[in-house]
Amino acid sequence: EVRLVESGGGLVQPGGSLRLSCATSGFAFADRAIGWFRQAPGRGREAVSCISSNLLTTYYTGPVKGRFTSSRDNAKNEVYLQMNSLKPEDTAVYYCAAGTWCTPAGPVDFDSWGQGTQVTVSS
């Protein structure tokens, strides 16, 4: 059974930091691209970042560039999203997902999803 389980969300003040983790099992983690997506209230799901299976390609959506960093540990089957300088507009449910490709233009063909973790940025 494919499983992706996010953790690390919570309430943080503007300017603060959070580190999301995603523990995975049930598939060949090292062979798949991994991505982070988010969905804010009343909005569609958007791609935040992705990282290729060989760690050579990463993608970040414009509003998070320079503030968010994605990494993966292929030995632990885990992926992380370090979020710094958080803003209220980063408030959303964050999902990790596994897929086929991470390209410089974004994730492609992602089909396995976690349940999400809530991130709220508010004073």
Side-chain angles (χ1 to χ4, degrees), residues 25-70:
S25 61
F27 64 98
F29 179 84
D31 293 340
R32 307 211 71 192
I34 301 295
W36 289 95
F37 298 74
R38 67 185 179 186
Q39 186 165 17
R43 302 187 66 177
R45 188 175 296 185
E46 67 167 336
V48 175
S49 73
C50 64
I51 183 166
S52 62
S53 59
N54 62 8
L55 285 73
L56 294 180
T57 302
T58 57
Y59 163 83
Y60 296 94
T61 188
V64 310
K65 283 183 180 178
R67 300 188 297 121
F68 290 12
T69 303
S70 180

Side-chain angles (χ1 to χ4, degrees), residues 2-6 22-24 27 32 35-39 45-48 93-99 107 109-116:
V2 174
R3 293 192 70 200
L4 299 95
V5 181
E6 303 92 339
C22 178
T24 75
F27 64 98
R32 307 211 71 192
W36 289 95
F37 298 74
R38 67 185 179 186
Q39 186 165 17
R45 188 175 296 185
E46 67 167 336
V48 175
V93 178
Y94 283 72
Y95 301 87
C96 70
D109 191 23
F110 274 57
D111 56 7
S112 299
W113 298 84
Q115 293 300 305

Side-chain angles (χ1 to χ4, degrees), residues 13-25:
Q13 292 186 342
S17 298
L18 281 175
R19 185 179 189 240
L20 304 184
S21 299
C22 178
T24 75
S25 61

Side-chain angles (χ1 to χ4, degrees), residues 61-119:
T61 188
V64 310
K65 283 183 180 178
R67 300 188 297 121
F68 290 12
T69 303
S70 180
S71 59
R72 62 188 292 167
D73 187 330
N74 284 355
K76 294 183 177 180
N77 293 349
E78 294 182 353
V79 63
Y80 313 99
L81 184 67
Q82 178 66 44
M83 306 186 294
N84 299 328
S85 301
L86 282 160
K87 304 176 180 181
E89 51 264 42
D90 295 317
T91 296
V93 178
Y94 283 72
Y95 301 87
C96 70
T100 304
W101 301 107
C102 175
T103 76
V108 175
D109 191 23
F110 274 57
D111 56 7
S112 299
W113 298 84
Q115 293 300 305
T117 185
Q118 176 71 47
V119 172

